[in-house]
Amino acid sequence: MTYSRRTLLKTTGLAIATAGLAGCSGQDDASANTETETGAPETEGEDSEGTSAEVAVDASVAVAAEWNAMRARLYDSIALATAGRTGTAGQVAKDVFKRFEESSGEWGAHEQLEATNEENYETFEEHLGGAREAFSSGHADEGIDLAKQAADNLLAAQRGRVDSAVVDALGVLTFGARARDAEMLAAAGEVEAAAEVAHGVYEAFESAPEHEVLEEASGELYEAFEAGIEGAADASDASSIQQSARSAATATVDASYEIAPKSVAGAGHLALMQAIGFDAEVLAGLGGPGDEYAHAASLTLYRARAADVAWLVAQGKTDFAATLAGDIFAHFEGARAHEALEEADHDAYEGFEGGLESLKSAAASGDATATADALATVDENLLAGVSALVGGDAATTLESAFFRARLADARELVALGATDRAASVAEGLFGRFEENEANLHEAVEHESEDLYHRFEEEHLAGLVDAASAGNAEQAATHAEGAMDVLFEFEAAVGTTAEVSAAEAAFFGARGFDAAGLATLDASSRASTVVSSTFEFFETGAGGYHEALEDADHDLYESFEGALGEVRTAAEEDGDTYGAAKTYNQKAVDSMYAVVVTAAADAGLAAAASERMSGVFQTFEGARVHETLEHADHGAYEGFEEKLSAYVSALEAGSEVDASAEAYASATLRAQFAVVGAIDKAPLDHSSHDHSHGEGETELSGGPNVVEGVPEDADHVVKMNAVSFDPAELTVSVGDTVAFEHAGGEAHSVTAYGDKIPEGAAYWASGGFESQEAAETGWDEGKGAVQSGQSYVHTFETAGEHAYYCVPHEAAGMTGKIIVEE
């Protein structure tokens, strides 16, 4: 759909118009769901610090506070995109979507948003899914616009659900959360971006309703907020930004008690603490390039190793080439990057593994065309995986290392006298460079016109011409020149840790080049390759030598020893390939060692831990401390316990994600406790309850939606919160597939009408005869696959059947069944 202010205003108006009077629940029993200790429905008036108007306080307030935490996280993604961290921004948006989809029970954020206004709910999911996709694709401006609209969808729900005083207090606290975003970026060393975010918050505040609300509530706190956020915008150092931003956020917390009853302000303050907890999780991952970069570097090494298969097939070494392809698969199965790739991009993961199987078969048969096709599949999916894991400039640096490895292949083909093959490799690289694969062309040109001209026009074009003409000496010179220029580029744009991990991929590839040469009886050249690689490492290799030595001295020594063993094996006609595999593991280990050390050196794990320790200290002296302890001692103890455990996890650098989620769930429970609705609090976020209170679900499945998974099903596809697993499945004609609900909200299994084979009968849960009918049916509650159920379909027509989940398509929940004869 087209995202516009008109759409937003339409949904906002609908939310307000259809949800009833401000403060009234969209459900008949809402106002009776919260009682005081004496059993009477609760309103708060003159006993609420600074407020005199009656305000309804019930479970809806806790839900509105939870929406506020989600709004804060959406602004997190905006702040990260402002700092150029679009990959992380996309992950934050994805996490918000997942948490929203898994909100459990009648009073979870998901069902309450849907109950408040259906159109606003659907538009929120579309905006949120669009933001995730835009950020993940590197489109910062589009992602920022969509994230803002998603946040405004939640604001519309708040306005339609709770009293204006509650909305005002939560709105002011949202500005506090946005101020803390500037603090987070400053702590990560993103000083310019932090100041820019603070400036944006200041400008937004000047024209927002919260400006007048805060000024009327307390002139002193209004001035404190403005002075703090303006100070952060004007500051030029991280410490000043952090101090000013935190001061501004503190003013919003104090102001919330002047605007709304203490239980409302307390719920809002807890939601802010929840948001800060997620900020700490993000901050801990921003130190250095991170494990994701090491995962992506190891995928880059797989790209280089897979490319070796093709030139070895061309040289007639089909058995060795097939072994090499099989060993890539075996290594990947036990690699740290395995699970990371599967989670980051399941389609790429499946495509990579499937491509490897095809590559091994093609290599064994000696079919050069099939080998090239399989290699293209492997490379395409690995490149997609790199982009999913890191994206942006980081992916470009790794692309440069991959190009260097391929240029090294061309150099060795020249040494073997296969100048025609070297020309083919160079021509392929020229085309990929012109297509701006992984933004390498634009990045090199932007960095330096001299680098760009030397790389493309002098050396890469020169390599193509010289190799095509059979001039081995000139071809070798240009191949080495092109590699050197790209290394200059890496050193210019990457941090030491980034360059080191990228070079580890290049170094590992050189080990396999030596093994390939030895297999082709070119042991002398193999030895030369290792010697030159060793010499490059000893001269520093862009800081790789020192970074590895500082990170892990034992690994550094074993790395050098393993590289030396490759040379010895080549010189003594030993098992060069076995030595190369041992050395390869050292190179991979070094990737993780250098990025982990960089993260520790950045001090951001400590900064994140300090951030949460500050939350603990704040809570101890906060007004909500006594409110929560008095409201429900169990919720109070659970909150403190999970907060303490989260601080410990950040300090240890382990189980951070799980601890953050547990802390968020404890905070949500505390939000319900302070408004007197602990019995309505969602239990957890792991499995969504699809029932509505005591009644039966309003959704129905239809034909072929059954309980459990039939024993005679040939294949099972699990439907998680926002994904099909596997996303791509190959079956045979006549096979039966069960689509099993495994998590999240109710799902549909709906074939795309124009993406199934010609002559195939249309299929979808609900038994509909067309995609349009299936979508209309879903709107009427038909075709739903719920917890404990499966949709079962037997595929009778060969070809590709693409399908999706109607309510979660925007979140990327799509799949494909490939039916073979």
Side-chain angles (χ1 to χ4, degrees), residues 289 301 381 390 411 468 481 528 600 760:
L301 179 48
N381 284 286
V390 289
R411 172 67 183 90
S468 297
T528 299

Side-chain angles (χ1 to χ4, degrees), residues 19 89 206 240 258 323 343 390 452 494 541 557 604 649 653 734:
E206 289 302 298
S240 296
E258 302 296 327
T323 297
E343 291 182 358
V390 289
Y452 166 69
E557 289 189 337
L604 297 189

Side-chain angles (χ1 to χ4, degrees), residues 728-747:
E728 183 174 306
L729 176 67
T730 300
V731 306
S732 299
V733 170
D735 280 0
T736 298
V737 179
F739 297 83
E740 178 190 10
H741 187 288
E745 262 289 335
H747 299 294

Side-chain angles (χ1 to χ4, degrees), residues 235-262:
S236 57
D237 65 281
S239 178
S240 296
I241 292 174
Q242 291 181 75
Q243 184 175 352
S244 295
R246 186 170 295 191
S247 174
T250 299
T252 66
V253 174
D254 291 338
S256 68
Y257 283 90
E258 302 296 327
I259 298 167
K262 63 181 180 181

Side-chain angles (χ1 to χ4, degrees), residues 184 275-285 604 608-609 611-612 646 650 656:
M184 174 184 69
I276 294 171
F278 283 118
D279 288 354
E281 180 185 22
V282 170
L283 181 59
L604 297 189
S609 176
R611 189 178 181 89
M612 293 313 297
Y646 186 29
L650 288 166
V656 171

Side-chain angles (χ1 to χ4, degrees), residues 308-329:
D308 286 347
V309 174
W311 71 262
L312 286 165
V313 168
Q315 295 300 114
K317 292 295 182 179
T318 57
D319 289 344
F320 179 62
T323 297
L324 201 155
D327 285 347
I328 296 173
F329 196 106

Side-chain angles (χ1 to χ4, degrees), residues 623-680:
R623 279 174 275 193
V624 70
H625 181 285
E626 183 178 350
T627 304
L628 176 58
E629 188 172 15
H630 177 72
D632 191 284
H633 194 75
Y636 159 75
E637 288 190 334
F639 173 78
E640 284 207 333
E641 177 189 348
K642 298 304 182 185
L643 174 54
S644 178
Y646 186 29
V647 172
S648 298
L650 288 166
E651 289 175 347
S654 63
E655 302 296 329
V656 171
D657 291 351
S659 297
E661 190 65 33
Y663 165 70
S665 294
T667 309
L668 174 60
R669 185 170 177 79
Q671 290 162 205
F672 276 84
V674 297
V675 299
I678 189 66
D679 58 319
K680 305 295 187 298

